[in-house]
Amino acid sequence: MKLHLVLRFLFGPVPVYFSALAILIVLTNAQYFGLVGVGVPHTTKLVSSAPVVSVMKYCDIFRGEWVPDAEAPYYNHKTCYMIQEHQNCLKYGRPDLGFLKWRWRPSGCELPRFDPVQFLKFVRHKSLAFVGDSLARNHMQSLLCLLSQVAYPKDISANPTTQNKVYHYRAYNFTISMFWSPFLVRAREPGPDEPARTGHYSLYLDEADPSWVSQISRFDYVMVSAANWFSRPSLFYEKRRLVGCSFCSRQYGVPDLTLYYSQRRAWRVALQAINGLDSLRGRVVVRMLSPMSHFENGTWDQGGDCKRTQPLRGNETVMEGRDLQFYNAQMEEFRAAEKAAAAKGRRLMLMDATAAMLMRPDGHPSRYGHLPNQKVQLYNDCIHWCLPGPIDIWNDMLFQMLLV
Ligand SMILES: *[C@@H]1O[C@H](CO)[C@@H](O)[C@H](O)[C@H]1NC(C)=O
Ligand SMILES: *[C@@H]1O[C@H](CO)[C@@H](O)[C@H](O)[C@H]1NC(C)=O
Ligand SMILES: *[C@@H]1O[C@H](CO)[C@@H](O)[C@H](O)[C@H]1NC(C)=O
C-alpha cells in the first residue's frame, strides 16, 4: 500500500506552484470574471455600520446546531481564486450544493455573518499568523476568500517554494502569515535510508518548533492548531535521545508509546513555549481539532468515503475513538496552559469548534478535489473542507473572538 503517497495527499504539502499560479490567475481569471476594476463582485451587503461588540460576551458560540439558511455563500470558485485545488469542490463538479445552505446557530444567540469590511477595519495595521498543517491553511484560505469580496492581498512570501506564506493587504496594512509546522514541535522527515513509504518522522517532543516560536511575538493574533500528522509513523526524542515511537516495530528497540503520547506532549511543549515568550504581546487562539472520523463504510485507505449531503444534528453525533482522545488531551493541555498564562496576566483563547464540525460529514471534498478523469493516486478526502463550506464559520468565530 502506498501509505506515504496517501498521507501526503491527505495532509501533505501544498503544491509549490500555488502561489506562482495565483499571480498568473489573478491576471487572467480576475479579468475574465470581471473583477479587475470592479472590486466587489457581489451585490451582498458590504456596508458595515453597527458598533462592533462580540456576541461572546453573552453567548457560548461553540454550542449549537446547524440550521437551514437560504443565503448564498459570500464567495465561490469563480469569485475567489485563492481556493486550493484539492478543496475546490465546486470547480470539480460536486453535484449537491445543499451543503452550502446551512448556518451555524449557537444556542444562545445568532453568530454574526462575517463582515469583511468590518473585519478589515478592525485589523488595520495588524497581523495574523496561522501555525499548523494543511487544515490551518484550509482555514486561512477561507479567510482569504471571505476577504476577497473587498480586497485581494499581495503575496509577499520570502520564499514562494516553501509552505510559509505572507500576504499583505496594502489598503489596510494587514498581514496574514502561514507558518507550516504540522507537529508544532521540531521534526525531521523520514531519511532516505528509511523504508520507502512507511518511513518514520523524528519528533523532538521537548522542543517546540523554532520556526514559529521565534516569530510569533511580533504578531497581533496567532491561530495555532495541529492534530492529523500525529497519525504518521514517528520516532520520539526527548533530550535528543530516542525514547519511544508510534506505528513502529521492535526494530527501534524502544516502546510503542502510541500517537497519543506525541500529540499530548507536542501540545504541552508548544503551549509552554508560547507562555515562555516574554515579548509576546498578541492574542493566541488555539483551535481544537477538526474531526478525523468522517470516513464511512471503510477507513480512509479501505474505500471509506464521505457522501452525505446534509449535516447531522448534535444528538446524532458522538465524539469517540481518536477524535475523543485527541480532544481530551488537547483540552487538558490547554486548560493547564491557560492557568499558567493567567498567572502571567495573559489570556489564551480556545476555538472549540470540534463539536460543530463533527455535525458536518457532508462538508468534505470526498472525490471532488480533482477532475473525475484525472489520473491521481488519491483517496477520498474526508479530512479537509470544501471552500466555500462549513469552515467558513471558523472565521465568523475568529472575528467574534478577536472582538472580545
Ligand atoms: C503597518 O503595520 C505595521 C504593524 O503591523 C506597522 O509597524 C507599520 O508602521 C504600518 N505601516 C504603515 C505605513 O502604517
Ligand atoms: C454506506 O453503505 C451503505 C450500503 O451500501 C449505503 O446505503 C450508504 O449510503 C453508505 N454510506 C455512505 C456515507 O457512503
Ligand atoms: C434529536 O433532536 C431532534 C430535535 O430536538 C429530535 O427531533 C430528534 O428526534 C432527536 N434525534 C435523536 C436521535 O434523538
Side-chain angles (χ1 to χ4, degrees), residues 295-344:
F295 293 91
E296 289 187 62
N297 289 348
T299 52
W300 59 270
D301 55 344
Q302 303 286 326
D305 202 353
C306 35
K307 290 184 173 167
R308 288 177 186 267
T309 54
Q310 280 199 355
L312 299 170
R313 293 192 58 90
N315 60 7
E316 295 168 320
T317 63
V318 190
M319 209 190 299
E320 55 193 3
R322 194 172 292 181
D323 283 345
L324 181 64
Q325 295 226 38
F326 272 20
Y327 184 90
N328 286 340
Q330 194 186 348
M331 185 63 89
E332 282 165 30
E333 295 305 324
F334 175 84
R335 291 296 175 215
E338 186 183 35
K339 244 186 226 161
K344 291 183 89 169

Side-chain angles (χ1 to χ4, degrees), residues 112-327:
R113 219 163 127 85
F114 190 88
D115 181 331
V117 172
Q118 220 168 44
F119 183 87
L120 283 168
K121 282 184 182 165
F122 183 79
V123 296
R124 191 183 287 280
H125 301 307
K126 294 208 167 76
S127 54
L128 164 63
F130 287 87
V131 177
D133 60 17
S134 53
L135 278 153
R137 187 173 61 222
N138 208 178
H139 182 184
M140 176 184 74
Q141 287 171 354
S142 158
L143 180 59
L144 294 171
C145 282
L146 287 165
L147 296 176
S148 74
Q149 305 163 81
V150 177
Y152 272 114
K154 190 171 172 202
D155 185 344
I156 55 167
S157 312
N159 181 352
T161 63
T162 70
Q163 308 268 29
N164 291 347
K165 296 285 171 217
V166 186
Y167 298 103
H168 187 240
Y169 290 84
R170 193 159 162 215
Y172 297 87
N173 187 26
F174 171 52
T175 308
I176 298 179
S177 297
M178 167 83 206
F179 293 96
W180 178 260
S181 185
F183 296 105
L184 301 181
V185 292
R186 190 192 286 274
R188 205 156 33 83
E189 294 205 348
D193 51 331
E194 300 232 27
R197 313 228 179 256
T198 54
H200 286 67
Y201 280 75
S202 296
L203 308 186
Y204 296 89
L205 293 177
D206 49 2
E207 300 177 50
D209 182 354
S211 75
W212 63 269
V213 175
S214 67
Q215 298 298 314
I216 61 166
S217 291
R218 61 190 166 86
F219 283 84
D220 297 284
Y221 309 112
V222 185
M223 274 295 323
V224 188
S225 58
N228 304 56
W229 281 52
F230 298 104
S231 303
R232 296 178 175 221
S234 300
L235 301 176
F236 305 155
Y237 291 83
E238 284 171 10
K239 300 200 174 93
R240 296 282 164 126
R241 282 186 42 240
L242 184 62
V243 296
C245 54
S246 62
F247 304 103
C248 51
S249 60
R250 285 159 187 270
Q251 74 182 103
Y252 294 104
V254 285
D256 184 342
L257 299 174
T258 80
L259 75 171
Y260 300 116
Y261 185 85
S262 51
Q263 184 250 0
R264 183 184 282 276
R265 288 289 155 140
W267 272 109
R268 183 174 302 169
V269 71
L271 294 169
Q272 281 171 352
I274 290 168
N275 280 335
L277 287 170
D278 289 328
S279 54
L280 181 76
R281 61 196 167 82
R283 174 170 299 186
V284 176
V285 181
V286 170
R287 179 175 57 70
M288 294 300 283
L289 68 137
S290 178
M292 294 171 274
S293 56
H294 281 160
F295 293 91
E296 289 187 62
N297 289 348
T299 52
W300 59 270
D301 55 344
Q302 303 286 326
D305 202 353
C306 35
K307 290 184 173 167
R308 288 177 186 267
T309 54
Q310 280 199 355
L312 299 170
R313 293 192 58 90
N315 60 7
E316 295 168 320
T317 63
V318 190
M319 209 190 299
E320 55 193 3
R322 194 172 292 181
D323 283 345
L324 181 64
Q325 295 226 38
F326 272 20
Y327 184 90

